[in-house]
mmCIF file of all heavy atoms in Angstrom:
data_model
loop_
_atom_site.group_PDB
_atom_site.id
_atom_site.type_symbol
_atom_site.label_atom_id
_atom_site.label_comp_id
_atom_site.label_asym_id
_atom_site.label_seq_id
_atom_site.Cartn_x
_atom_site.Cartn_y
_atom_site.Cartn_z
ATOM 1 N N ILE A 146 -0.534 31.353 -30.489
ATOM 2 C CA ILE A 146 -1.192 32.631 -30.865
ATOM 3 C C ILE A 146 -0.271 33.451 -31.742
ATOM 4 O O ILE A 146 0.908 33.153 -31.843
ATOM 5 C CB ILE A 146 -1.583 33.463 -29.572
ATOM 6 C CG1 ILE A 146 -0.381 33.774 -28.763
ATOM 7 C CG2 ILE A 146 -2.652 32.667 -28.813
ATOM 8 C CD1 ILE A 146 -0.733 34.697 -27.496
ATOM 9 N N LYS A 147 -0.794 34.482 -32.384
ATOM 10 C CA LYS A 147 0.018 35.213 -33.373
ATOM 11 C C LYS A 147 0.743 36.459 -32.826
ATOM 12 O O LYS A 147 1.721 36.877 -33.424
ATOM 13 C CB LYS A 147 -0.943 35.753 -34.493
ATOM 14 C CG LYS A 147 -1.464 34.551 -35.359
ATOM 15 C CD LYS A 147 -2.161 35.073 -36.593
ATOM 16 C CE LYS A 147 -2.528 33.885 -37.527
ATOM 17 N NZ LYS A 147 -3.128 34.291 -38.761
ATOM 18 N N GLU A 148 0.257 36.966 -31.627
ATOM 19 C CA GLU A 148 0.950 38.153 -31.101
ATOM 20 C C GLU A 148 1.226 37.949 -29.612
ATOM 21 O O GLU A 148 0.455 37.253 -29.004
ATOM 22 C CB GLU A 148 0.059 39.390 -31.277
ATOM 23 C CG GLU A 148 -0.187 39.741 -32.763
ATOM 24 C CD GLU A 148 -1.059 41.016 -32.920
ATOM 25 O OE1 GLU A 148 -1.437 41.555 -31.841
ATOM 26 O OE2 GLU A 148 -1.312 41.442 -34.040
ATOM 27 N N PHE A 149 2.275 38.551 -29.181
ATOM 28 C CA PHE A 149 2.633 38.441 -27.757
ATOM 29 C C PHE A 149 1.527 38.994 -26.881
ATOM 30 O O PHE A 149 0.981 40.047 -27.160
ATOM 31 C CB PHE A 149 3.930 39.215 -27.483
ATOM 32 C CG PHE A 149 4.417 39.152 -26.035
ATOM 33 C CD1 PHE A 149 4.997 37.987 -25.556
ATOM 34 C CD2 PHE A 149 4.253 40.249 -25.189
ATOM 35 C CE1 PHE A 149 5.417 37.984 -24.240
ATOM 36 C CE2 PHE A 149 4.661 40.232 -23.920
ATOM 37 C CZ PHE A 149 5.265 39.040 -23.426
ATOM 38 N N ASP A 150 1.158 38.246 -25.873
ATOM 39 C CA ASP A 150 0.018 38.606 -25.040
ATOM 40 C C ASP A 150 0.502 39.072 -23.605
ATOM 41 O O ASP A 150 0.809 38.258 -22.752
ATOM 42 C CB ASP A 150 -0.881 37.388 -24.824
ATOM 43 C CG ASP A 150 -2.115 37.675 -24.022
ATOM 44 O OD1 ASP A 150 -2.455 38.884 -23.839
ATOM 45 O OD2 ASP A 150 -2.792 36.729 -23.557
ATOM 46 N N GLU A 151 0.598 40.339 -23.467
ATOM 47 C CA GLU A 151 1.066 40.907 -22.204
ATOM 48 C C GLU A 151 0.184 40.525 -21.059
ATOM 49 O O GLU A 151 0.735 40.178 -19.978
ATOM 50 C CB GLU A 151 1.143 42.481 -22.354
ATOM 51 C CG GLU A 151 1.873 43.170 -21.245
ATOM 52 C CD GLU A 151 3.398 42.944 -21.289
ATOM 53 O OE1 GLU A 151 4.023 43.173 -22.362
ATOM 54 O OE2 GLU A 151 3.972 42.536 -20.291
ATOM 55 N N ALA A 152 -1.104 40.638 -21.234
ATOM 56 C CA ALA A 152 -2.045 40.335 -20.141
ATOM 57 C C ALA A 152 -1.926 38.861 -19.769
ATOM 58 O O ALA A 152 -2.135 38.520 -18.605
ATOM 59 C CB ALA A 152 -3.489 40.656 -20.580
ATOM 60 N N GLY A 153 -1.638 37.990 -20.714
ATOM 61 C CA GLY A 153 -1.549 36.560 -20.429
ATOM 62 C C GLY A 153 -0.341 36.159 -19.559
ATOM 63 O O GLY A 153 -0.239 35.081 -19.057
ATOM 64 N N GLN A 154 0.596 37.130 -19.392
ATOM 65 C CA GLN A 154 1.735 36.850 -18.515
ATOM 66 C C GLN A 154 1.358 36.704 -17.052
ATOM 67 O O GLN A 154 2.164 36.225 -16.230
ATOM 68 C CB GLN A 154 2.836 37.937 -18.684
ATOM 69 C CG GLN A 154 3.284 38.152 -20.124
ATOM 70 C CD GLN A 154 3.909 36.883 -20.773
ATOM 71 O OE1 GLN A 154 4.618 36.178 -20.133
ATOM 72 N NE2 GLN A 154 3.558 36.602 -22.005
ATOM 73 N N ASN A 155 0.204 37.207 -16.692
ATOM 74 C CA ASN A 155 -0.222 37.179 -15.297
ATOM 75 C C ASN A 155 -0.600 35.784 -14.810
ATOM 76 O O ASN A 155 -0.679 35.576 -13.574
ATOM 77 C CB ASN A 155 -1.387 38.147 -15.063
ATOM 78 C CG ASN A 155 -0.973 39.584 -15.349
ATOM 79 O OD1 ASN A 155 0.113 40.021 -15.094
ATOM 80 N ND2 ASN A 155 -1.883 40.375 -15.872
ATOM 81 N N GLY A 156 -0.899 34.939 -15.764
ATOM 82 C CA GLY A 156 -1.314 33.540 -15.309
ATOM 83 C C GLY A 156 -0.372 32.500 -15.949
ATOM 84 O O GLY A 156 0.155 32.697 -17.029
ATOM 85 N N GLY A 157 -0.272 31.300 -15.349
ATOM 86 C CA GLY A 157 0.447 30.223 -15.913
ATOM 87 C C GLY A 157 1.964 30.541 -15.827
ATOM 88 O O GLY A 157 2.396 31.488 -15.154
ATOM 89 N N PHE A 158 2.750 29.705 -16.444
ATOM 90 C CA PHE A 158 4.217 29.997 -16.484
ATOM 91 C C PHE A 158 4.757 29.328 -17.767
ATOM 92 O O PHE A 158 4.057 28.595 -18.444
ATOM 93 C CB PHE A 158 4.824 29.371 -15.198
ATOM 94 C CG PHE A 158 4.500 27.909 -14.928
ATOM 95 C CD1 PHE A 158 5.377 26.924 -15.369
ATOM 96 C CD2 PHE A 158 3.353 27.547 -14.290
ATOM 97 C CE1 PHE A 158 5.070 25.585 -15.135
ATOM 98 C CE2 PHE A 158 3.092 26.219 -14.022
ATOM 99 C CZ PHE A 158 3.949 25.225 -14.484
ATOM 100 N N GLY A 159 6.023 29.499 -17.958
ATOM 101 C CA GLY A 159 6.628 28.926 -19.175
ATOM 102 C C GLY A 159 6.021 29.422 -20.477
ATOM 103 O O GLY A 159 5.937 30.678 -20.637
ATOM 104 N N TYR A 160 5.535 28.568 -21.320
ATOM 105 C CA TYR A 160 4.973 28.933 -22.592
ATOM 106 C C TYR A 160 3.471 29.055 -22.582
ATOM 107 O O TYR A 160 2.826 29.309 -23.591
ATOM 108 C CB TYR A 160 5.341 27.829 -23.636
ATOM 109 C CG TYR A 160 6.871 27.801 -23.929
ATOM 110 C CD1 TYR A 160 7.587 26.753 -23.313
ATOM 111 C CD2 TYR A 160 7.502 28.698 -24.753
ATOM 112 C CE1 TYR A 160 9.001 26.600 -23.545
ATOM 113 C CE2 TYR A 160 8.869 28.605 -24.991
ATOM 114 C CZ TYR A 160 9.601 27.579 -24.401
ATOM 115 O OH TYR A 160 10.977 27.449 -24.583
ATOM 116 N N ASP A 161 2.918 28.984 -21.337
ATOM 117 C CA ASP A 161 1.383 29.030 -21.230
ATOM 118 C C ASP A 161 0.806 30.265 -21.946
ATOM 119 O O ASP A 161 -0.206 30.109 -22.555
ATOM 120 C CB ASP A 161 0.974 29.083 -19.754
ATOM 121 C CG ASP A 161 1.124 27.791 -19.045
ATOM 122 O OD1 ASP A 161 1.488 26.801 -19.697
ATOM 123 O OD2 ASP A 161 0.922 27.725 -17.840
ATOM 124 N N PRO A 162 1.384 31.493 -21.838
ATOM 125 C CA PRO A 162 0.770 32.643 -22.443
ATOM 126 C C PRO A 162 0.638 32.673 -23.916
ATOM 127 O O PRO A 162 -0.168 33.448 -24.492
ATOM 128 C CB PRO A 162 1.623 33.813 -21.905
ATOM 129 C CG PRO A 162 2.298 33.324 -20.676
ATOM 130 C CD PRO A 162 2.590 31.821 -20.957
ATOM 131 N N ILE A 163 1.413 31.832 -24.641
ATOM 132 C CA ILE A 163 1.339 31.838 -26.095
ATOM 133 C C ILE A 163 0.621 30.595 -26.639
ATOM 134 O O ILE A 163 0.447 30.349 -27.843
ATOM 135 C CB ILE A 163 2.648 31.991 -26.853
ATOM 136 C CG1 ILE A 163 3.597 30.767 -26.477
ATOM 137 C CG2 ILE A 163 3.296 33.329 -26.447
ATOM 138 C CD1 ILE A 163 4.864 30.772 -27.340
ATOM 139 N N PHE A 164 0.166 29.699 -25.653
ATOM 140 C CA PHE A 164 -0.501 28.461 -26.059
ATOM 141 C C PHE A 164 -2.000 28.571 -25.927
ATOM 142 O O PHE A 164 -2.506 28.722 -24.791
ATOM 143 C CB PHE A 164 0.005 27.344 -25.232
ATOM 144 C CG PHE A 164 -0.554 25.956 -25.561
ATOM 145 C CD1 PHE A 164 -0.079 25.276 -26.649
ATOM 146 C CD2 PHE A 164 -1.646 25.396 -24.848
ATOM 147 C CE1 PHE A 164 -0.651 24.027 -27.002
ATOM 148 C CE2 PHE A 164 -2.190 24.196 -25.194
ATOM 149 C CZ PHE A 164 -1.659 23.497 -26.260
ATOM 150 N N TYR A 165 -2.737 28.527 -27.057
ATOM 151 C CA TYR A 165 -4.154 28.614 -27.034
ATOM 152 C C TYR A 165 -4.743 27.238 -26.959
ATOM 153 O O TYR A 165 -4.528 26.407 -27.864
ATOM 154 C CB TYR A 165 -4.631 29.336 -28.370
ATOM 155 C CG TYR A 165 -6.145 29.442 -28.434
ATOM 156 C CD1 TYR A 165 -6.787 30.604 -27.899
ATOM 157 C CD2 TYR A 165 -6.913 28.511 -29.101
ATOM 158 C CE1 TYR A 165 -8.189 30.739 -28.006
ATOM 159 C CE2 TYR A 165 -8.337 28.683 -29.214
ATOM 160 C CZ TYR A 165 -8.892 29.735 -28.678
ATOM 161 O OH TYR A 165 -10.285 29.992 -28.776
ATOM 162 N N SER A 166 -5.471 26.943 -25.914
ATOM 163 C CA SER A 166 -6.119 25.578 -25.713
ATOM 164 C C SER A 166 -7.353 25.512 -26.568
ATOM 165 O O SER A 166 -8.282 26.300 -26.441
ATOM 166 C CB SER A 166 -6.419 25.390 -24.219
ATOM 167 O OG SER A 166 -7.276 24.268 -24.058
ATOM 168 N N LEU A 167 -7.435 24.504 -27.389
ATOM 169 C CA LEU A 167 -8.610 24.263 -28.233
ATOM 170 C C LEU A 167 -9.838 23.919 -27.393
ATOM 171 O O LEU A 167 -10.979 24.165 -27.756
ATOM 172 C CB LEU A 167 -8.325 23.169 -29.244
ATOM 173 C CG LEU A 167 -7.271 23.411 -30.244
ATOM 174 C CD1 LEU A 167 -7.124 22.257 -31.178
ATOM 175 C CD2 LEU A 167 -7.575 24.701 -31.035
ATOM 176 N N GLU A 168 -9.566 23.345 -26.234
ATOM 177 C CA GLU A 168 -10.668 22.886 -25.326
ATOM 178 C C GLU A 168 -11.177 24.066 -24.514
ATOM 179 O O GLU A 168 -12.367 24.185 -24.312
ATOM 180 C CB GLU A 168 -10.226 21.729 -24.436
ATOM 181 C CG GLU A 168 -9.984 20.448 -25.276
ATOM 182 C CD GLU A 168 -8.972 19.503 -24.613
ATOM 183 O OE1 GLU A 168 -7.836 19.892 -24.458
ATOM 184 O OE2 GLU A 168 -9.387 18.417 -24.219
ATOM 185 N N LEU A 169 -10.244 24.847 -23.966
ATOM 186 C CA LEU A 169 -10.687 25.963 -23.129
ATOM 187 C C LEU A 169 -11.094 27.212 -23.878
ATOM 188 O O LEU A 169 -11.760 28.121 -23.361
ATOM 189 C CB LEU A 169 -9.551 26.347 -22.104
ATOM 190 C CG LEU A 169 -9.128 25.256 -21.161
ATOM 191 C CD1 LEU A 169 -7.932 25.898 -20.306
ATOM 192 C CD2 LEU A 169 -10.289 24.840 -20.237
ATOM 193 N N LYS A 170 -10.702 27.266 -25.147
ATOM 194 C CA LYS A 170 -10.943 28.401 -26.033
ATOM 195 C C LYS A 170 -10.327 29.740 -25.438
ATOM 196 O O LYS A 170 -10.815 30.847 -25.552
ATOM 197 C CB LYS A 170 -12.477 28.723 -26.191
ATOM 198 C CG LYS A 170 -13.227 27.441 -26.660
ATOM 199 C CD LYS A 170 -12.768 26.946 -27.984
ATOM 200 C CE LYS A 170 -13.671 25.800 -28.450
ATOM 201 N NZ LYS A 170 -13.068 25.099 -29.613
ATOM 202 N N LYS A 171 -9.168 29.528 -24.896
ATOM 203 C CA LYS A 171 -8.369 30.597 -24.359
ATOM 204 C C LYS A 171 -6.941 30.175 -24.129
ATOM 205 O O LYS A 171 -6.696 28.895 -24.123
ATOM 206 C CB LYS A 171 -8.950 31.198 -23.015
ATOM 207 C CG LYS A 171 -8.875 30.174 -21.855
ATOM 208 C CD LYS A 171 -9.433 30.802 -20.538
ATOM 209 C CE LYS A 171 -10.917 31.003 -20.580
ATOM 210 N NZ LYS A 171 -11.385 31.417 -19.237
ATOM 211 N N THR A 172 -6.042 31.048 -23.971
ATOM 212 C CA THR A 172 -4.619 30.639 -23.667
ATOM 213 C C THR A 172 -4.525 30.089 -22.236
ATOM 214 O O THR A 172 -5.318 30.454 -21.407
ATOM 215 C CB THR A 172 -3.655 31.764 -23.839
ATOM 216 O OG1 THR A 172 -3.874 32.795 -22.882
ATOM 217 C CG2 THR A 172 -3.628 32.379 -25.242
ATOM 218 N N PHE A 173 -3.537 29.215 -22.035
ATOM 219 C CA PHE A 173 -3.296 28.768 -20.693
ATOM 220 C C PHE A 173 -2.917 29.972 -19.773
ATOM 221 O O PHE A 173 -3.218 29.914 -18.593
ATOM 222 C CB PHE A 173 -2.161 27.746 -20.665
ATOM 223 C CG PHE A 173 -2.673 26.315 -20.903
ATOM 224 C CD1 PHE A 173 -1.688 25.316 -20.962
ATOM 225 C CD2 PHE A 173 -3.963 25.990 -21.088
ATOM 226 C CE1 PHE A 173 -2.124 23.993 -21.161
ATOM 227 C CE2 PHE A 173 -4.401 24.778 -21.259
ATOM 228 C CZ PHE A 173 -3.465 23.713 -21.333
ATOM 229 N N GLY A 174 -2.323 30.962 -20.335
ATOM 230 C CA GLY A 174 -1.942 32.150 -19.529
ATOM 231 C C GLY A 174 -3.157 32.935 -19.040
ATOM 232 O O GLY A 174 -3.099 33.592 -17.990
ATOM 233 N N ARG A 175 -4.300 32.863 -19.769
ATOM 234 C CA ARG A 175 -5.509 33.581 -19.312
ATOM 235 C C ARG A 175 -6.520 32.633 -18.607
ATOM 236 O O ARG A 175 -7.585 33.081 -18.206
ATOM 237 C CB ARG A 175 -6.165 34.142 -20.567
ATOM 238 C CG ARG A 175 -5.415 35.390 -21.060
ATOM 239 C CD ARG A 175 -6.078 35.941 -22.378
ATOM 240 N NE ARG A 175 -5.417 37.126 -22.841
ATOM 241 C CZ ARG A 175 -5.872 38.370 -22.620
ATOM 242 N NH1 ARG A 175 -6.993 38.569 -21.934
ATOM 243 N NH2 ARG A 175 -5.209 39.425 -23.106
ATOM 244 N N ALA A 176 -6.167 31.370 -18.517
ATOM 245 C CA ALA A 176 -7.012 30.417 -17.790
ATOM 246 C C ALA A 176 -6.729 30.446 -16.266
ATOM 247 O O ALA A 176 -5.656 30.720 -15.859
ATOM 248 C CB ALA A 176 -6.740 28.990 -18.355
ATOM 249 N N THR A 177 -7.780 30.122 -15.567
ATOM 250 C CA THR A 177 -7.535 29.966 -14.071
ATOM 251 C C THR A 177 -6.789 28.630 -13.808
ATOM 252 O O THR A 177 -6.679 27.792 -14.708
ATOM 253 C CB THR A 177 -8.947 29.852 -13.320
ATOM 254 O OG1 THR A 177 -9.580 28.662 -13.733
ATOM 255 C CG2 THR A 177 -9.767 31.102 -13.605
ATOM 256 N N GLU A 178 -6.278 28.522 -12.656
ATOM 257 C CA GLU A 178 -5.467 27.294 -12.350
ATOM 258 C C GLU A 178 -6.427 26.040 -12.456
ATOM 259 O O GLU A 178 -6.041 25.010 -12.962
ATOM 260 C CB GLU A 178 -4.988 27.381 -10.898
ATOM 261 C CG GLU A 178 -4.076 26.156 -10.545
ATOM 262 C CD GLU A 178 -3.449 26.368 -9.168
ATOM 263 O OE1 GLU A 178 -3.596 27.409 -8.539
ATOM 264 O OE2 GLU A 178 -2.807 25.344 -8.740
#
Side-chain angles (χ1 to χ4, degrees):
I146 60 175
K147 292 191 174 182
E148 296 181 0
F149 182 74
D150 182 16
E151 192 72 51
Q154 303 301 319
N155 296 325
F158 55 94
Y160 297 101
D161 286 356
I163 62 170
F164 182 81
Y165 181 87
S166 166
L167 298 179
E168 291 154 296
L169 296 180
K170 308 300 183 190
K171 65 176 73 174
T172 64
F173 272 179
R175 288 177 176 259
T177 65
E178 185 176 355

